[in-house]
Amino acid sequence: MKKFAIVALLVFALMWLGGTQAAYAKVTKATLTASPSKFRGDCPGVIKFTGSITVDKAGIVKYIFTRSDGAIDTITKTLVFKIPGTRKVTTTWTLGGMSLPYYKGWEAIKVIAPNAVTSNQAAFELKCNPPMNSATSAHGNTDWHIDTANEFLFGVDMHGNLTAPNHAPVSWNKRHMHVGLTNTSKYYFDKTKTSTGDDTNTTSGIDRTMLFFYAGHGNPTLWNTLGDNGSQTNMVIANIKDGGMLRYYWQCSCEVFAHGPRTCSGASMEYACPQNFDGSSDSYAMRNVFERWGHVLTPDLRMACGMSTSAYCHESNVDKVWNDYNALGMSVADSFIDGFGDWGVVPLCITMGGSNITNTPLYTDTVFTNQPNTSGSTYYHVIYPSGTGSKKIPIKIPIKLPKFFVVPADMPVRLKGLTLPTTLPHAAFIGGKALTRIDPASGAVYLISEQRTPVAEPAIEEKEYLSRANALVHEMGWENKELGTPIITRLLTASRPVGGKSTDITRGQSAVLVTYPRQIEVGGNLIDVLGEGGKVKILMSNGGRVLNASRVWRKIEGASADVMLKTFEEAQAEALTKLSTPEAYKLDQWRWGYKETAGNVQVKELKVVYQFAFMPKNSNESLKYPPRLIEISAEKN
């Protein structure tokens, strides 16, 4: 019995000693770091926290994690130290997305026992990209512009009629906003500029997705927003700290991106020659896009695009933009400029960057991306097409013409025997190779250079561009009697330091587009072919190397008996009935000819159409009477 008592006393002593050691163990240090400390990317993002807890004696430590949003661990964590020392601890925080695009916060270790200790706050900053391939559109008016906004995304008007065979890719996440709303200017305005600003609103804000597109009436300093007006004054785009995520701001409205003098020789539209900008402050006589839009841009925004001149915002423009991008392989900026640049319209895109324009998205964005613009913030850069557009006088309209039956074009000899699509070695293309494919619907041929970004090189003489384009046309077997006189469009650039003066402006050129139109001979007359078909298009770098080339040229298999045609007067009278206030308009230009659609459309015949471009009689009333482009069938019923 005495022996048992002694053993029990020894056990109790050991237990007391262990408890005493645990009681006197002390946490002397707790640290935590966040990785990455600055997150930039697609969300949700994961921040990993790695830390340590140090004790001076053996013992048990109980702790939790706390963080800046007020959340606290619900489960207490335990560390057992058998000897004095340091142990690692980790945790993660997953956060961010459309509802939380920006967050600046921290996480910390909070020791509960054996003594109270709180670590440093491991700080981090999270900046989310907008969802990849996300796009929204909005209209400023409920006339045809509401259709344009819908056609841009889905290819159909508000009644579900297929009007634009080419549109934003089907796989994209797309939404037409502001339908049924009124007074939507607040969704363009930023809260840092005005208390009503709500451009990051999750359902209606314009600054939330990768791409935003607007269609509506406008002038250099404002545009309609379903009852009130938007303006550059209260805008800031892609300011991520305030929730802005946009990468591409595209706008189809008159003169909102006006640049240069009001009048230009040979142009019927105002502000049609940005290349003649003299560097002066923004005014009615000389518009300054750097001044009006510079403060709206942020370094993250990849580009903002709109019209220097008036604009038609027609379904054919939407079709052309997306045909250029989806099929022809044009870059983002070039697709916008070529797509809307018809009938004398002069589009313009602007971005921020460093001193070298070739490093900016105007050059580098061969495809849309949700990544921020990282090219710099010390310069403004713009790109626009040269020329003012020519008023071609159509030939006398015949009384009747046949309709032509067409089938997909034959494969070019150069491509026969190849399994398409394929990569074709070709020295004329940048990179020495071209991705080559044929659309079975029309036999259209598309060749896209392996290296799609233009390189920095000096421009060559215009005759040399033509010579190289003609050589490619000849080699591909695209020459025939229907090949019309080529049209050259230069894509010009201008750069100015942020805060710079007129003397600081540097001008240049990014690329040259050579377009061969189709003309069909009927009864000794050459009849123009209108539309996205009936064209050979070759885009070249400054040095004359090919970026992409295409031919949409269906094969004529036969013709119908002649059909009676409307006279010009009959067609114009019909077009005027499409205008709600015809007395407010004047006819600016008109065309007629066979219409051939884009290469992704299967058609059996080429029909004759009239196209009329109407402008307001009073240029100061473009908000009330915006330009209209109207197409009329030339066939008599």
Side-chain angles (χ1 to χ4, degrees), residues 192-249:
T192 64
K193 291 289 186 176
T194 175
S195 59
T196 60
D198 200 15
D199 66 351
T200 59
N201 183 282
T202 55
T203 57
S204 298
I206 66 134
D207 203 356
R208 300 292 296 181
T209 53
M210 182 187 74
L211 167 65
F212 170 76
F213 175 76
Y214 165 94
H217 307 181
N219 66 29
T221 58
L222 62 85
W223 54 92
N224 294 159
T225 48
L226 297 172
D228 54 11
N229 297 313
S231 69
Q232 302 95 333
T233 305
N234 292 322
M235 290 180 66
V236 180
I237 304 176
N239 49 337
I240 184 65
K241 289 186 178 181
D242 297 296
M245 306 171 73
L246 195 64
R247 296 293 178 257
Y248 304 91
Y249 178 90

Short mmCIF file of all heavy atoms in Angstrom, two decimals, residues 192-249:
data_model
loop_
_atom_site.label_atom_id
_atom_site.label_comp_id
_atom_site.label_asym_id
_atom_site.label_seq_id
_atom_site.Cartn_x
_atom_site.Cartn_y
_atom_site.Cartn_z
N THR A 192 -17.01 58.99 -59.51
CA THR A 192 -15.96 59.94 -59.13
C THR A 192 -16.17 61.30 -59.79
O THR A 192 -15.53 62.28 -59.40
CB THR A 192 -14.57 59.41 -59.52
OG1 THR A 192 -14.49 59.30 -60.95
CG2 THR A 192 -14.30 58.07 -58.90
N LYS A 193 -17.04 61.36 -60.78
CA LYS A 193 -17.31 62.60 -61.50
C LYS A 193 -18.64 63.24 -61.10
O LYS A 193 -18.78 64.46 -61.14
CB LYS A 193 -17.32 62.33 -63.01
CG LYS A 193 -15.96 61.98 -63.59
CD LYS A 193 -15.05 63.20 -63.60
CE LYS A 193 -13.74 62.91 -64.31
NZ LYS A 193 -12.88 64.11 -64.40
N THR A 194 -19.62 62.41 -60.78
CA THR A 194 -20.93 62.93 -60.40
C THR A 194 -21.60 61.96 -59.44
O THR A 194 -21.42 60.73 -59.56
CB THR A 194 -21.83 63.16 -61.62
OG1 THR A 194 -23.13 63.55 -61.20
CG2 THR A 194 -21.93 61.92 -62.48
N SER A 195 -22.36 62.48 -58.51
CA SER A 195 -22.98 61.63 -57.48
C SER A 195 -23.96 60.64 -58.06
O SER A 195 -24.23 59.59 -57.47
CB SER A 195 -23.69 62.50 -56.44
OG SER A 195 -24.70 63.30 -57.05
N THR A 196 -24.49 60.94 -59.24
CA THR A 196 -25.46 60.02 -59.86
C THR A 196 -24.78 58.95 -60.70
O THR A 196 -25.45 58.07 -61.24
CB THR A 196 -26.44 60.80 -60.75
OG1 THR A 196 -25.71 61.47 -61.78
CG2 THR A 196 -27.23 61.81 -59.93
N GLY A 197 -23.47 59.02 -60.84
CA GLY A 197 -22.76 58.07 -61.68
C GLY A 197 -22.94 56.63 -61.23
O GLY A 197 -22.78 56.32 -60.04
N ASP A 198 -23.27 55.77 -62.17
CA ASP A 198 -23.54 54.36 -61.84
C ASP A 198 -23.05 53.45 -62.97
O ASP A 198 -23.72 52.49 -63.33
CB ASP A 198 -25.04 54.18 -61.62
CG ASP A 198 -25.39 52.92 -60.83
OD1 ASP A 198 -24.47 52.33 -60.21
OD2 ASP A 198 -26.56 52.52 -60.84
N ASP A 199 -21.86 53.77 -63.52
CA ASP A 199 -21.39 53.01 -64.68
C ASP A 199 -20.92 51.60 -64.33
O ASP A 199 -20.63 50.81 -65.22
CB ASP A 199 -20.28 53.77 -65.42
CG ASP A 199 -19.01 53.93 -64.60
OD1 ASP A 199 -19.01 53.63 -63.40
OD2 ASP A 199 -17.99 54.39 -65.17
N THR A 200 -20.84 51.28 -63.03
CA THR A 200 -20.47 49.92 -62.64
C THR A 200 -21.67 49.14 -62.11
O THR A 200 -21.51 48.09 -61.50
CB THR A 200 -19.36 49.94 -61.58
OG1 THR A 200 -19.82 50.68 -60.44
CG2 THR A 200 -18.10 50.58 -62.12
N ASN A 201 -22.87 49.65 -62.36
CA ASN A 201 -24.09 48.93 -61.98
C ASN A 201 -24.04 47.53 -62.59
O ASN A 201 -23.74 47.35 -63.78
CB ASN A 201 -25.31 49.70 -62.49
CG ASN A 201 -26.61 49.07 -62.08
OD1 ASN A 201 -27.04 48.08 -62.66
ND2 ASN A 201 -27.25 49.64 -61.09
N THR A 202 -24.36 46.52 -61.80
CA THR A 202 -24.16 45.13 -62.25
C THR A 202 -25.08 44.72 -63.38
O THR A 202 -24.78 43.77 -64.11
CB THR A 202 -24.35 44.16 -61.07
OG1 THR A 202 -25.63 44.39 -60.47
CG2 THR A 202 -23.26 44.35 -60.04
N THR A 203 -26.20 45.40 -63.57
CA THR A 203 -27.11 45.03 -64.65
C THR A 203 -27.11 46.02 -65.81
O THR A 203 -27.37 45.63 -66.94
CB THR A 203 -28.56 44.89 -64.14
OG1 THR A 203 -28.96 46.12 -63.53
CG2 THR A 203 -28.66 43.77 -63.13
N SER A 204 -26.81 47.30 -65.54
CA SER A 204 -26.95 48.31 -66.59
C SER A 204 -25.72 49.18 -66.81
O SER A 204 -25.71 50.00 -67.72
CB SER A 204 -28.15 49.22 -66.27
OG SER A 204 -29.35 48.48 -66.24
N GLY A 205 -24.67 49.04 -65.99
CA GLY A 205 -23.49 49.86 -66.15
C GLY A 205 -22.68 49.48 -67.38
O GLY A 205 -22.54 48.29 -67.70
N ILE A 206 -22.13 50.48 -68.05
CA ILE A 206 -21.38 50.20 -69.29
C ILE A 206 -19.95 49.74 -69.01
O ILE A 206 -19.27 49.25 -69.91
CB ILE A 206 -21.36 51.45 -70.19
CG1 ILE A 206 -20.58 52.58 -69.52
CG2 ILE A 206 -22.76 51.90 -70.54
CD1 ILE A 206 -19.61 53.30 -70.39
N ASP A 207 -19.49 49.91 -67.76
CA ASP A 207 -18.08 49.67 -67.45
C ASP A 207 -17.86 48.33 -66.76
O ASP A 207 -17.09 48.23 -65.80
CB ASP A 207 -17.58 50.81 -66.55
CG ASP A 207 -16.06 50.99 -66.60
OD1 ASP A 207 -15.39 50.20 -67.27
OD2 ASP A 207 -15.56 51.93 -65.97
N ARG A 208 -18.54 47.28 -67.25
CA ARG A 208 -18.51 46.01 -66.54
C ARG A 208 -17.95 44.84 -67.35
O ARG A 208 -17.48 43.87 -66.77
CB ARG A 208 -19.92 45.64 -66.08
CG ARG A 208 -20.56 46.64 -65.15
CD ARG A 208 -19.88 46.68 -63.81
NE ARG A 208 -20.02 45.41 -63.11
CZ ARG A 208 -19.54 45.17 -61.90
NH1 ARG A 208 -18.88 46.12 -61.27
NH2 ARG A 208 -19.71 44.02 -61.32
N THR A 209 -18.05 44.90 -68.67
CA THR A 209 -17.69 43.75 -69.48
C THR A 209 -16.43 44.03 -70.31
O THR A 209 -15.86 45.11 -70.25
CB THR A 209 -18.85 43.36 -70.41
OG1 THR A 209 -19.26 44.52 -71.15
CG2 THR A 209 -20.02 42.83 -69.61
N MET A 210 -16.03 43.07 -71.10
CA MET A 210 -14.85 43.22 -71.96
C MET A 210 -15.10 44.26 -73.06
O MET A 210 -14.25 45.09 -73.38
CB MET A 210 -14.48 41.88 -72.58
CG MET A 210 -13.25 41.90 -73.46
SD MET A 210 -12.99 40.32 -74.31
CE MET A 210 -14.28 40.40 -75.57
N LEU A 211 -16.31 44.21 -73.67
CA LEU A 211 -16.64 45.08 -74.80
C LEU A 211 -18.00 45.71 -74.58
O LEU A 211 -18.96 45.03 -74.20
CB LEU A 211 -16.66 44.25 -76.09
CG LEU A 211 -17.27 44.89 -77.35
CD1 LEU A 211 -16.43 46.09 -77.80
CD2 LEU A 211 -17.36 43.86 -78.47
N PHE A 212 -18.08 47.02 -74.81
CA PHE A 212 -19.37 47.72 -74.78
C PHE A 212 -19.56 48.43 -76.11
O PHE A 212 -18.64 49.06 -76.64
CB PHE A 212 -19.43 48.75 -73.65
CG PHE A 212 -20.64 49.65 -73.74
CD1 PHE A 212 -21.90 49.18 -73.38
CD2 PHE A 212 -20.52 50.95 -74.21
CE1 PHE A 212 -23.01 49.99 -73.49
CE2 PHE A 212 -21.63 51.77 -74.31
CZ PHE A 212 -22.89 51.28 -73.95
N PHE A 213 -20.80 48.34 -76.64
CA PHE A 213 -21.13 48.98 -77.92
C PHE A 213 -22.38 49.82 -77.76
O PHE A 213 -23.37 49.37 -77.18
CB PHE A 213 -21.35 47.93 -79.01
CG PHE A 213 -21.82 48.51 -80.33
CD1 PHE A 213 -20.93 49.16 -81.16
CD2 PHE A 213 -23.15 48.39 -80.71
CE1 PHE A 213 -21.36 49.70 -82.36
CE2 PHE A 213 -23.59 48.92 -81.92
CZ PHE A 213 -22.69 49.58 -82.75
N TYR A 214 -22.33 51.04 -78.29
CA TYR A 214 -23.47 51.97 -78.24
C TYR A 214 -23.88 52.34 -79.66
O TYR A 214 -23.04 52.54 -80.54
CB TYR A 214 -23.09 53.24 -77.48
CG TYR A 214 -24.05 54.40 -77.68
CD1 TYR A 214 -25.09 54.62 -76.79
CD2 TYR A 214 -23.92 55.27 -78.77
CE1 TYR A 214 -25.97 55.68 -76.97
CE2 TYR A 214 -24.79 56.33 -78.95
CZ TYR A 214 -25.83 56.53 -78.05
OH TYR A 214 -26.70 57.57 -78.23
N ALA A 215 -25.19 52.47 -79.88
CA ALA A 215 -25.72 53.00 -81.14
C ALA A 215 -26.77 54.04 -80.82
O ALA A 215 -27.70 53.77 -80.05
CB ALA A 215 -26.31 51.88 -81.99
N GLY A 216 -26.64 55.23 -81.39
CA GLY A 216 -27.61 56.28 -81.15
C GLY A 216 -27.16 57.61 -81.70
O GLY A 216 -26.08 57.74 -82.27
N HIS A 217 -27.99 58.63 -81.52
CA HIS A 217 -27.71 59.96 -82.04
C HIS A 217 -26.64 60.64 -81.19
O HIS A 217 -26.59 60.45 -79.98
CB HIS A 217 -28.96 60.83 -82.01
CG HIS A 217 -30.15 60.22 -82.68
ND1 HIS A 217 -31.36 60.87 -82.77
CD2 HIS A 217 -30.33 59.03 -83.30
CE1 HIS A 217 -32.24 60.09 -83.41
NE2 HIS A 217 -31.63 58.97 -83.73
N GLY A 218 -25.81 61.46 -81.83
CA GLY A 218 -24.78 62.15 -81.07
C GLY A 218 -24.23 63.36 -81.79
O GLY A 218 -24.54 63.62 -82.96
N ASN A 219 -23.40 64.11 -81.10
CA ASN A 219 -22.59 65.17 -81.68
C ASN A 219 -21.27 65.18 -80.92
O ASN A 219 -21.06 64.33 -80.05
CB ASN A 219 -23.34 66.51 -81.65
CG ASN A 219 -23.59 67.05 -80.25
OD1 ASN A 219 -22.83 66.79 -79.32
ND2 ASN A 219 -24.66 67.81 -80.09
N PRO A 220 -20.36 66.10 -81.19
CA PRO A 220 -19.04 65.99 -80.56
C PRO A 220 -19.03 65.96 -79.04
O PRO A 220 -18.10 65.40 -78.45
CB PRO A 220 -18.30 67.23 -81.10
CG PRO A 220 -18.90 67.45 -82.44
CD PRO A 220 -20.36 67.13 -82.26
N THR A 221 -20.01 66.55 -78.39
CA THR A 221 -19.94 66.68 -76.93
C THR A 221 -21.03 65.95 -76.17
O THR A 221 -21.03 65.97 -74.93
CB THR A 221 -19.98 68.17 -76.53
OG1 THR A 221 -21.20 68.76 -77.03
CG2 THR A 221 -18.79 68.91 -77.10
N LEU A 222 -21.96 65.28 -76.86
CA LEU A 222 -23.00 64.52 -76.14
C LEU A 222 -23.64 63.50 -77.04
O LEU A 222 -23.49 63.53 -78.27
CB LEU A 222 -24.05 65.47 -75.55
CG LEU A 222 -24.89 66.32 -76.51
CD1 LEU A 222 -26.11 65.57 -77.04
CD2 LEU A 222 -25.35 67.59 -75.82
N TRP A 223 -24.37 62.59 -76.44
CA TRP A 223 -25.14 61.60 -77.18
C TRP A 223 -26.39 61.24 -76.38
O TRP A 223 -26.41 61.34 -75.15
CB TRP A 223 -24.30 60.36 -77.48
CG TRP A 223 -23.66 59.73 -76.29
CD1 TRP A 223 -24.15 58.73 -75.52
CD2 TRP A 223 -22.38 60.07 -75.72
NE1 TRP A 223 -23.27 58.41 -74.50
CE2 TRP A 223 -22.18 59.22 -74.61
CE3 TRP A 223 -21.39 61.00 -76.07
CZ2 TRP A 223 -21.02 59.29 -73.84
CZ3 TRP A 223 -20.25 61.06 -75.29
CH2 TRP A 223 -20.07 60.21 -74.20
N ASN A 224 -27.44 60.85 -77.10
CA ASN A 224 -28.72 60.56 -76.47
C ASN A 224 -28.67 59.28 -75.66
O ASN A 224 -28.05 58.29 -76.07
CB ASN A 224 -29.82 60.44 -77.52
CG ASN A 224 -30.11 61.74 -78.24
OD1 ASN A 224 -30.66 61.73 -79.32
ND2 ASN A 224 -29.75 62.87 -77.65
N THR A 225 -29.35 59.31 -74.53
CA THR A 225 -29.41 58.13 -73.66
C THR A 225 -30.85 57.93 -73.19
O THR A 225 -31.16 58.01 -72.01
CB THR A 225 -28.46 58.26 -72.46
OG1 THR A 225 -28.62 59.55 -71.86
CG2 THR A 225 -27.01 58.10 -72.89
N LEU A 226 -31.73 57.75 -74.18
CA LEU A 226 -33.13 57.38 -73.93
C LEU A 226 -33.86 58.40 -73.05
O LEU A 226 -34.52 58.05 -72.08
CB LEU A 226 -33.20 55.99 -73.31
CG LEU A 226 -32.68 54.85 -74.20
CD1 LEU A 226 -32.61 53.55 -73.43
CD2 LEU A 226 -33.52 54.71 -75.45
N GLY A 227 -33.71 59.67 -73.39
CA GLY A 227 -34.43 60.71 -72.67
C GLY A 227 -33.54 61.81 -72.16
O GLY A 227 -33.91 62.98 -72.18
N ASP A 228 -32.35 61.47 -71.69
CA ASP A 228 -31.36 62.47 -71.32
C ASP A 228 -30.13 62.26 -72.19
O ASP A 228 -30.20 61.57 -73.21
CB ASP A 228 -31.06 62.44 -69.82
CG ASP A 228 -30.65 61.05 -69.33
OD1 ASP A 228 -30.39 60.17 -70.18
OD2 ASP A 228 -30.57 60.85 -68.10
N ASN A 229 -28.99 62.84 -71.81
CA ASN A 229 -27.80 62.77 -72.66
C ASN A 229 -26.57 62.36 -71.87
O ASN A 229 -26.38 62.77 -70.72
CB ASN A 229 -27.52 64.13 -73.30
CG ASN A 229 -28.63 64.57 -74.23
OD1 ASN A 229 -29.10 63.80 -75.06
ND2 ASN A 229 -29.06 65.82 -74.09
N GLY A 230 -25.75 61.56 -72.51
CA GLY A 230 -24.44 61.23 -71.97
C GLY A 230 -23.41 62.20 -72.52
O GLY A 230 -23.63 62.86 -73.53
N SER A 231 -22.27 62.30 -71.86
CA SER A 231 -21.19 63.16 -72.33
C SER A 231 -19.88 62.69 -71.74
O SER A 231 -19.84 61.97 -70.74
CB SER A 231 -21.44 64.62 -71.94
OG SER A 231 -21.32 64.78 -70.54
N GLN A 232 -18.79 63.12 -72.38
CA GLN A 232 -17.47 62.74 -71.89
C GLN A 232 -17.16 63.37 -70.53
O GLN A 232 -16.37 62.83 -69.76
CB GLN A 232 -16.39 63.18 -72.90
CG GLN A 232 -16.54 62.61 -74.28
CD GLN A 232 -17.30 63.55 -75.21
OE1 GLN A 232 -18.11 64.36 -74.76
NE2 GLN A 232 -17.04 63.44 -76.51
N THR A 233 -17.80 64.49 -70.23
CA THR A 233 -17.46 65.26 -69.03
C THR A 233 -17.54 64.44 -67.76
O THR A 233 -16.68 64.55 -66.88
CB THR A 233 -18.41 66.48 -68.91
OG1 THR A 233 -18.34 67.24 -70.11
CG2 THR A 233 -18.01 67.35 -67.72
N ASN A 234 -18.56 63.60 -67.66
CA ASN A 234 -18.79 62.84 -66.43
C ASN A 234 -18.35 61.38 -66.51
O ASN A 234 -18.81 60.56 -65.72
CB ASN A 234 -20.28 62.90 -66.06
CG ASN A 234 -20.71 64.29 -65.65
OD1 ASN A 234 -19.97 65.01 -65.00
ND2 ASN A 234 -21.90 64.69 -66.07
N MET A 235 -17.46 61.09 -67.45
CA MET A 235 -17.06 59.69 -67.65
C MET A 235 -15.62 59.43 -67.25
O MET A 235 -14.75 60.27 -67.41
CB MET A 235 -17.24 59.30 -69.12
CG MET A 235 -18.68 59.18 -69.57
SD MET A 235 -18.79 58.71 -71.31
CE MET A 235 -18.11 57.05 -71.28
N VAL A 236 -15.39 58.25 -66.72
CA VAL A 236 -14.07 57.65 -66.56
C VAL A 236 -14.27 56.16 -66.83
O VAL A 236 -15.16 55.55 -66.26
CB VAL A 236 -13.48 57.85 -65.15
CG1 VAL A 236 -12.11 57.20 -65.06
CG2 VAL A 236 -13.39 59.32 -64.79
N ILE A 237 -13.46 55.59 -67.71
CA ILE A 237 -13.67 54.20 -68.13
C ILE A 237 -12.54 53.31 -67.63
O ILE A 237 -11.36 53.66 -67.73
CB ILE A 237 -13.75 54.09 -69.67
CG1 ILE A 237 -14.84 55.00 -70.22
CG2 ILE A 237 -14.03 52.66 -70.08
CD1 ILE A 237 -14.90 55.02 -71.72
N ALA A 238 -12.90 52.16 -67.09
CA ALA A 238 -11.95 51.12 -66.67
C ALA A 238 -11.10 51.54 -65.49
O ALA A 238 -9.96 51.10 -65.36
CB ALA A 238 -11.06 50.69 -67.84
N ASN A 239 -11.66 52.37 -64.60
CA ASN A 239 -10.96 52.71 -63.36
C ASN A 239 -11.28 51.64 -62.32
O ASN A 239 -12.25 51.71 -61.59
CB ASN A 239 -11.34 54.10 -62.87
CG ASN A 239 -12.84 54.34 -62.86
OD1 ASN A 239 -13.58 53.68 -63.57
ND2 ASN A 239 -13.28 55.27 -62.05
N ILE A 240 -10.44 50.62 -62.27
CA ILE A 240 -10.73 49.39 -61.54
C ILE A 240 -10.97 49.63 -60.05
O ILE A 240 -11.79 48.94 -59.43
CB ILE A 240 -9.59 48.36 -61.75
CG1 ILE A 240 -9.92 47.02 -61.08
CG2 ILE A 240 -8.26 48.89 -61.27
CD1 ILE A 240 -11.10 46.32 -61.69
N LYS A 241 -10.32 50.61 -59.44
CA LYS A 241 -10.53 50.85 -58.01
C LYS A 241 -11.95 51.27 -57.71
O LYS A 241 -12.42 51.12 -56.58
CB LYS A 241 -9.54 51.90 -57.50
CG LYS A 241 -8.11 51.40 -57.43
CD LYS A 241 -7.19 52.43 -56.80
CE LYS A 241 -5.77 51.88 -56.69
NZ LYS A 241 -4.85 52.86 -56.06
N ASP A 242 -12.62 51.82 -58.72
CA ASP A 242 -14.02 52.20 -58.54
C ASP A 242 -14.96 51.20 -59.21
O ASP A 242 -16.13 51.50 -59.44
CB ASP A 242 -14.26 53.60 -59.10
CG ASP A 242 -13.45 54.63 -58.33
OD1 ASP A 242 -13.71 54.81 -57.13
OD2 ASP A 242 -12.54 55.24 -58.93
N GLY A 243 -14.43 50.04 -59.57
CA GLY A 243 -15.25 48.97 -60.11
C GLY A 243 -15.29 48.86 -61.61
O GLY A 243 -15.94 47.97 -62.15
N GLY A 244 -14.61 49.77 -62.33
CA GLY A 244 -14.61 49.73 -63.78
C GLY A 244 -13.73 48.62 -64.33
O GLY A 244 -12.59 48.47 -63.91
N MET A 245 -14.25 47.87 -65.30
CA MET A 245 -13.52 46.71 -65.82
C MET A 245 -13.39 46.71 -67.35
O MET A 245 -12.81 45.79 -67.92
CB MET A 245 -14.23 45.42 -65.40
CG MET A 245 -14.49 45.27 -63.91
SD MET A 245 -15.55 43.85 -63.52
CE MET A 245 -14.42 42.50 -63.80
N LEU A 246 -13.95 47.70 -68.03
CA LEU A 246 -14.08 47.67 -69.48
C LEU A 246 -12.72 47.62 -70.17
O LEU A 246 -11.73 48.15 -69.68
CB LEU A 246 -14.85 48.91 -69.94
CG LEU A 246 -15.41 48.91 -71.36
CD1 LEU A 246 -16.46 47.82 -71.53
CD2 LEU A 246 -16.01 50.27 -71.68
N ARG A 247 -12.69 46.99 -71.34
CA ARG A 247 -11.48 46.94 -72.15
C ARG A 247 -11.67 47.66 -73.50
O ARG A 247 -10.74 48.28 -74.00
CB ARG A 247 -11.06 45.49 -72.40
CG ARG A 247 -10.69 44.75 -71.13
CD ARG A 247 -9.43 45.30 -70.51
NE ARG A 247 -9.09 44.64 -69.26
CZ ARG A 247 -9.29 45.14 -68.06
NH1 ARG A 247 -9.82 46.35 -67.92
NH2 ARG A 247 -8.95 44.49 -66.98
N TYR A 248 -12.87 47.56 -74.09
CA TYR A 248 -13.14 48.17 -75.39
C TYR A 248 -14.46 48.95 -75.32
O TYR A 248 -15.51 48.37 -75.02
CB TYR A 248 -13.25 47.11 -76.50
CG TYR A 248 -12.04 46.22 -76.60
CD1 TYR A 248 -11.97 45.02 -75.88
CD2 TYR A 248 -10.96 46.56 -77.41
CE1 TYR A 248 -10.86 44.20 -75.96
CE2 TYR A 248 -9.85 45.74 -77.50
CZ TYR A 248 -9.81 44.56 -76.77
OH TYR A 248 -8.71 43.74 -76.85
N TYR A 249 -14.37 50.25 -75.59
CA TYR A 249 -15.56 51.10 -75.64
C TYR A 249 -15.77 51.47 -77.10
O TYR A 249 -14.96 52.19 -77.69
CB TYR A 249 -15.35 52.35 -74.79
CG TYR A 249 -16.51 53.33 -74.84
CD1 TYR A 249 -17.56 53.24 -73.94
CD2 TYR A 249 -16.55 54.35 -75.79
CE1 TYR A 249 -18.62 54.14 -73.97
CE2 TYR A 249 -17.59 55.25 -75.83
CZ TYR A 249 -18.63 55.13 -74.92
OH TYR A 249 -19.68 56.02 -74.96
#
